[in-house]
Amino acid sequence: MIGRKVTAVFLSSVLAATLLAGCGGGGKGGSTTPPATQQPAQGGQQTQTPPSSQPVTLEFWGWWSSETRMPTINKIVDKWNAEHPDIQVKYTFVPFGEMNTKYLASVAGGNPPDMVVSPDIFTSIQRGENGQAMELSALGAASVKDLYYPNFWDAVTTDDGKIYALPWVGETKFLYYNKELFREAGLDPEKAPVTWDDLWNFADKLDKWEGSKLVQMGFHPLMGNFGFQGWVWNAGSLLFENDEKPTINAAKNVEVLEWIKKWTDRYGYDVFASFKGSFGTGPQHAFIQGKIGMVVETATFEKEIKTNAPNLEYGVIPVPTPDGKQHQNASYSGGFAVELPVGSKHPQQAFEFAKYWTQEAAVIWAQEQNDFPAYTKAVETITTPEFKRAADNMKYTGLIPVPMTATNFMDFLNPAIDEALMGSMSPKAALDQAQSQIEDVVAENLAGN
């Protein structure tokens, strides 16, 4: 049975109201001390065992190792270790692309870590129902429910109340624009684009060519960090009406792909691909290099700009929409949670650390990394301009769920998008093909559940 909620969850007006009120629900639930649980590696019945009174060392897996992230991780872990001499934590870096495989292999092998940062918040339930992530009710997870935004909490719980993770952070996205390039192009740096047409018209002045070589790009929807799915939501559409009904080839989605193809044709597919491939992340990002006038990136990107290009003059605005009006899905968020793998040797102690990581530590993380925490009280304590900007934008930010009947749907959608952009298929034909393939996946998974 697929126990996951099947409707899209949004950072709704409820969230916006909570942000404005500056308070979250409920008191701090960190004092709950339930019996420890031990679960068999194959996800069978949980059994109760008394908590250990001996000092323990928790194995904690995460997928950050960069110079930007590690100082904050070390700060949080060191603080916990200093305050909890009987529950020490050892952080281990696992590359993001390898996390899911190693996580599941460790559970199957009976030697998992005690806590992991999930590959994404929306697949926690899947791992839970597959007997890989622990169900946390017996550890007292229900008592901390009101400490998190409802939409984040919904993402880790089933319709029948099973709790497979504690939500940690999400994000929001903005359009960043280079004010110096605006001036050079004769654009007013204090007048940012608000519509899709504005993006096109502004890019007309920002593009620079040297012969057939593109040396400065005005804008492209697939540069940066938004993607086809983000623009679909921005246009007011969806890729799935619910878990059982993909709407990949909906008329509005075809229009979005036609719009992206128009941008690609503007430069030529090969030129676009070559230009995009010549840049990377961090100091090699095209915006930080001053080679693209406008780009959509996460709120945390502002930290990268300040670190790598402190003199770059830029503006930050909500992501432009087709009609210039912001709505609840104009931007979107993924998200992350922390899970306790089935077979954890110290589940009760790990749950205590999970609460700390998603509550007190989430505030530290947000202050230093600018990710938006699922912990509601964070908005009371973080006053940096970057965080306030992100908090204000959350009312325009939807939380995109992964359909549990087709968690691999992008494996079919991405090739279809490439075919359309290269011109080997029309946008409609490409999305029709992806729709058919994904419908088959949904049907197969429904039949097997």
Side-chain angles (χ1 to χ4, degrees):
M1 173 181 177
I2 296 172
R4 187 186 188 285
K5 297 171 179 62
V6 296
T7 54
V9 288
F10 301 110
L11 286 165
S12 63
S13 56
V14 174
L15 168 58
T18 306
L19 289 169
L20 291 172
C23 63
K28 188 168 184 174
S31 61
T32 303
T33 308
T37 61
Q38 184 67 44
Q39 302 187 17
Q42 297 305 313
Q45 295 294 317
Q46 295 180 191
T47 57
Q48 303 292 326
T49 58
S52 170
S53 59
Q54 299 299 314
V56 301
T57 298
L58 302 177
E59 290 286 338
F60 169 37
W61 287 7
W63 31 264
W64 283 293
S65 65
S66 70
E67 294 180 356
T68 300
R69 301 293 199 180
M70 279 310 300
T72 303
I73 292 173
N74 290 335
K75 178 179 182 178
I76 291 170
V77 171
D78 289 348
K79 185 173 186 294
W80 168 273
N81 285 340
E83 295 174 356
H84 301 81
D86 291 339
I87 309 175
Q88 296 293 285
V89 171
K90 176 187 174 186
Y91 175 77
T92 298
F93 164 66
V94 177
F96 182 79
E98 301 175 15
M99 174 61 88
N100 200 48
T101 300
K102 289 193 173 182
Y103 173 9
L104 301 188
S106 72
V107 172
N111 190 32
D114 296 289
M115 189 178 98
V116 301
V117 177
S118 67
D120 72 73
I121 194 172
F122 298 112
T123 52
S124 292
I125 290 175
Q126 182 185 38
R127 284 183 290 278
E129 296 200 333
N130 287 341
Q132 295 151 343
M134 290 179 62
E135 207 285 302
L136 304 178
S137 296
L139 294 169
S143 68
V144 298
K145 171 184 176 180
D146 291 340
L147 297 179
Y148 305 93
Y149 287 113
N151 35 21
F152 283 98
W153 186 262
D154 285 349
V156 298
T157 60
T158 65
D159 288 335
D160 57 359
K162 294 177 181 175
I163 306 164
Y164 288 117
L166 294 184
W168 181 35
V169 294
E171 62 182 358
T172 187
K173 297 178 173 68
F174 295 100
L175 181 80
Y176 294 80
Y177 65 99
N178 185 316
K179 290 188 174 182
E180 184 176 346
L181 296 186
F182 267 45
R183 287 194 194 91
E184 291 176 359
L187 295 168
D188 182 350
E190 303 308 320
K191 185 178 180 182
V194 296
T195 69
W196 287 14
D197 286 344
D198 287 344
L199 291 169
W200 185 270
N201 295 330
F202 283 36
D204 281 346
K205 297 186 177 182
L206 290 163
D207 287 342
K208 279 188 178 179
W209 296 80
E210 291 180 355
S212 60
K213 182 180 180 182
L214 179 68
V215 296
Q216 178 177 297
M217 176 179 280
F219 179 77
H220 190 289
L222 300 187
M223 293 288 286
N225 194 339
F226 211 55
F228 175 68
Q229 187 170 206
W231 291 112
V232 164
W233 274 50
N234 180 277
S237 189
L238 297 168
L239 294 177
F240 283 80
E241 184 174 316
N242 55 51
D243 260 10
E244 300 179 12
K245 188 175 181 180
T247 55
I248 306 297
N249 62 346
K252 181 72 75 175
N253 300 345
V254 173
E255 291 177 9
V256 171
L257 187 52
E258 289 173 342
W259 178 69
I260 294 174
K261 178 169 171 48
K262 180 182 174 183
W263 277 100
T264 305
D265 291 346
R266 173 192 184 100
Y267 301 107
Y269 180 84
D270 291 341
V271 171
F272 161 66
S274 176
F275 186 86
K276 183 176 182 180
S278 64
F279 298 99
T281 59
Q284 302 305 315
H285 193 287
F287 189 82
I288 289 173
Q289 290 282 315
K291 297 299 182 183
I292 189 167
M294 303 174 288
V295 69
V296 177
E297 275 289 357
T298 64
T300 58
F301 184 61
E302 197 160 0
K303 184 177 178 65
E304 291 188 45
I305 296 174
K306 292 181 176 180
T307 299
N308 297 297
N311 297 321
L312 195 154
E313 189 179 359
Y314 62 93
V316 187
I317 61 166
V319 180
T321 61
D323 63 3
K325 297 178 181 177
Q326 290 294 304
H327 56 81
Q328 65 181 5
N329 297 328
S331 183
Y332 78 90
S333 172
F336 301 105
V338 294
E339 301 170 11
L340 308 190
V342 167
S344 163
K345 296 180 179 63
H346 312 292
Q348 180 175 342
Q349 293 90 338
F351 183 66
E352 294 302 313
F353 181 63
K355 289 188 293 184
Y356 166 81
W357 183 264
T358 58
Q359 297 171 23
E360 182 180 348
V363 175
I364 298 172
W365 186 268
Q367 288 172 329
E368 298 189 1
Q369 300 293 330
N370 214 28
D371 287 324
F372 195 87
Y375 179 52
T376 59
K377 288 186 177 295
V379 297
E380 299 175 4
T381 58
I382 304 174
T383 58
T384 63
E386 296 83 4
F387 184 82
K388 295 295 291 182
R389 181 185 296 120
D392 289 343
N393 204 52
M394 294 307 279
K395 58 181 175 291
Y396 305 129
T397 303
L399 200 62
I400 296 182
V402 174
M404 301 310 293
T405 52
T407 56
N408 62 337
F409 75 99
M410 292 303 295
D411 292 345
F412 304 97
L413 184 54
N414 281 333
I417 293 170
D418 286 341
E419 294 285 350
L421 298 186
M422 288 188 291
S424 52
M425 298 180 75
S426 71
K428 184 176 188 312
L431 294 185
D432 283 346
Q433 175 181 283
Q435 171 80 18
S436 177
Q437 293 171 327
I438 294 168
E439 283 179 347
D440 289 344
V441 172
V442 170
E444 182 178 342
N445 285 330
L446 286 173
N449 283 284

